[in-house]
Amino acid sequence: MKANQLSLTFSSISENVGITRLLIASVGAQLDLSLNDIEELKVAVSEAVSNAIIHGYKNNPDHIVYLNLDIAKDTLKIVVKDEGCGISNVEQAMQPAYSTDPERMGLGFVFMQSFMDELQVESTLEVGTTVTMIKHLKQTPISSH
Amino acid sequence: MDDSEINSTDINLGGMVLKLEKKIERLTLLLRLDGELDMHTASMVRQAIDIEIEKRGIRTVILNFQNVRFVDSSGLGVILGRYKKLLPMGGKLKITNAPPHIYKIMELSGLPKIINFYMDEAHAYEEGRGA
């Protein structure tokens, strides 16, 4: 797989969540991932970006979310970064069913964890949150056709 | 004719669209969703359902997911929220025609443990009728 990098910088508005899904789906297709893998990547990215907008920026549309994709030989690294309020207790926030809003299921991190091979969350109060997700790419055998 | 109506509401004219088709029959609201259900479209679905619960006294909500192409935790949150709202009123929320990849996400969330799924609208209407 050719090394490749993509960055998307966008306003913290909900319309953009769908655009990030389009981007990851296109990259997934280019990497020859299965439709199932692509669906899972879409959910993971959607959760990370939604978290940045809803929790990091508290739905304030005047901020910027950063999405970086780093494709190496055998890994796809997805980094979603916000410069929002940060998470006071990352461990607690990552628990299933933990949510600050009763209308939400608290499943964002659960989905990210289920669908990615690695998940790392770094957060500092009033500085922001960076979510790093890694998907291991299977080496395609040369005679796969 | 008087107590049933069909209308369509377009949600967001951007790239990621969710279309809603509403059908009301007595105290049952049928909502056919077409598109992607995420944080952007969830609030519109919430409003579409809540207004019927509050204004018309709707007590059964049937959500047809046949044409839903994407759902994440924000989308699941709006479903769970409507379920929680209807429960103390003695109401019900039912889901029909969930495509396999959508059902998989719902299953991971535990939603099928509390909400009934049906293969189609007819089965959802049938269950509980006359009870």
Side-chain angles (χ1 to χ4, degrees), chain B residues 90-114:
Chain B
K92 271 186 187 148
L93 189 135
K94 305 173 177 185
I95 294 178
T96 78
N97 305 77
H101 73 281
I102 298 291
Y103 185 77
K104 225 183 96 187
I105 306 282
M106 291 172 159
E107 207 173 19
L108 194 58
S109 77
L111 210 64
K113 286 180 194 151
I114 52 170

Side-chain angles (χ1 to χ4, degrees), chain B residues 39-103:
Chain B
M39 69 168 282
H40 183 60
T41 52
S43 60
M44 314 297 271
V45 173
R46 179 185 305 119
Q47 281 170 25
I49 297 172
D50 285 2
I51 198 165
E52 303 301 345
I53 293 175
E54 280 147 30
K55 283 201 176 164
R56 292 175 196 259
I58 289 290
R59 287 300 174 262
T60 301
V61 176
I62 300 172
L63 301 176
N64 184 331
F65 267 71
Q66 183 157 29
N67 296 315
V68 174
R69 286 177 289 279
F70 178 84
V71 72
D72 62 13
S73 69
S74 301
L76 297 176
V78 75
I79 300 171
L80 185 76
R82 291 329 95 211
Y83 165 82
K84 283 183 178 167
K85 190 183 174 93
L86 284 160
L87 199 61
M89 302 170 169
K92 271 186 187 148
L93 189 135
K94 305 173 177 185
I95 294 178
T96 78
N97 305 77
H101 73 281
I102 298 291
Y103 185 77

Side-chain angles (χ1 to χ4, degrees), chain A residues 106-135:
Chain A
L107 285 170
F109 283 121
V110 174
F111 285 165
M112 287 182 240
Q113 226 149 15
S114 306
F115 297 147
M116 301 298 296
D117 295 307
E118 290 173 42
L119 171 67
Q120 193 192 339
V121 181
E122 288 168 276
S123 193
T124 308
L125 281 179
E126 307 310 324
V127 175
T129 301
T130 301
V131 174
T132 304
M133 302 183 283
I134 290 175
K135 178 102 185 153

